[in-house]
Amino acid sequence: MSIRHGLLALLEPGARYGSRLRTEFLARTGGTWPLNIGQVYTTLGRLERDGLVVQSGVDEAGRVLYALTEAGRAELRDWFTRPVQRASPPRDELAIKLVMAVGAPGVDVRQVVGAQRRHVAEALHGYVRQRADALARAHEHPEEMTRLLVLEQLVFHAEAESRWLDICEARLLRFTRAGQSGRSR
């Protein structure tokens, strides 16, 4: 998630102070992605340095307000129209763990896969339950739609990870069997 662009989007309707941006970010994402206040202010500082936001005064409580500049609005419009690139996928800790476990002395890769499968199943169950709650509430509370969209993504990611683990396990099993039959000749 681009915190940078998320904050620009939250500033589009008008000036906000840091902790309000954090609260709105968490509300929009259903609290799925933690965002600490330090990240907000560090990002605001960079946005200000890059000319995308400016300090626009203080509110009645003395909190510094930030507002979009025209360059910030242009950057936001560009972000919304630009597809998210998949050419350079992010590093995935699970993929790294599995490839390092293959051939590592004393590591049973099937146990690693099994532990992850149990974790994913629990997470998927929780996401599906939360999604049902969000669906039930979305008709009365339109803000639940943003949470619902995030939960849908989490469900699909967990389902995909579960399928990938199945494939990994099947390949490892075939590899192990092929190795054993090669040694018995």
Side-chain angles (χ1 to χ4, degrees), residues 11 17 37 51 61 71 89 98 105 107 118-119 129 138 154 163 180:
L11 286 169
Y17 53 90
I37 196 65
L98 288 180
V107 176
R118 286 186 296 280
H119 171 73
R129 190 174 55 248
L154 293 172
R163 288 193 308 270
Q180 289 172 350

Side-chain angles (χ1 to χ4, degrees), residues 18-172:
S19 61
R20 181 169 175 198
L21 288 168
R22 179 183 177 272
T23 300
E24 289 182 18
F25 181 92
L26 293 173
R28 291 265 186 106
T29 63
T32 304
W33 296 293
L35 179 64
N36 71 49
I37 196 65
Q39 287 174 291
V40 171
Y41 283 108
T42 299
T43 304
L44 285 170
R46 289 184 184 132
L47 290 169
E48 188 175 16
R49 175 200 68 204
D50 296 344
L52 303 177
V53 302
V54 293
Q55 292 184 19
S56 64
V58 295
D59 68 4
E60 59 282 349
R63 296 174 291 218
V64 175
L65 297 171
Y66 294 86
L68 282 179
T69 63
E70 281 308 311
R73 288 184 198 291
E75 174 66 21
L76 182 60
R77 282 190 304 272
D78 183 54
W79 181 61
F80 279 132
T81 60
R82 187 176 60 233
V84 174
Q85 295 297 310
R86 301 290 185 211
S88 178
R91 288 187 186 111
D92 182 279
E93 183 178 353
L94 177 58
I96 293 169
K97 180 188 276 190
L98 288 180
V99 299
M100 294 300 166
V102 172
V107 176
D108 183 343
V109 181
R110 289 175 298 189
Q111 286 181 350
V112 175
V113 170
Q116 187 66 29
R117 180 178 283 114
R118 286 186 296 280
H119 171 73
V120 170
E122 289 173 19
L124 179 58
H125 180 72
Y127 297 148
V128 168
R129 190 174 55 248
Q130 291 176 52
R131 179 180 64 183
D133 292 343
L135 268 170
R137 292 173 42 90
H139 298 292
E140 298 169 22
H141 305 282
E143 68 278 1
E144 283 292 308
M145 183 55 67
T146 58
R147 183 169 170 253
L148 181 59
L149 293 175
V150 171
L151 287 166
E152 291 288 8
Q153 187 213 29
L154 293 172
V155 166
F156 285 116
H157 276 272
E159 289 173 342
E161 184 173 307
S162 182
R163 288 193 308 270
W164 179 69
L165 288 168
D166 291 342
I167 290 168
C168 289
E169 187 172 55
R171 292 218 192 281
L172 289 165

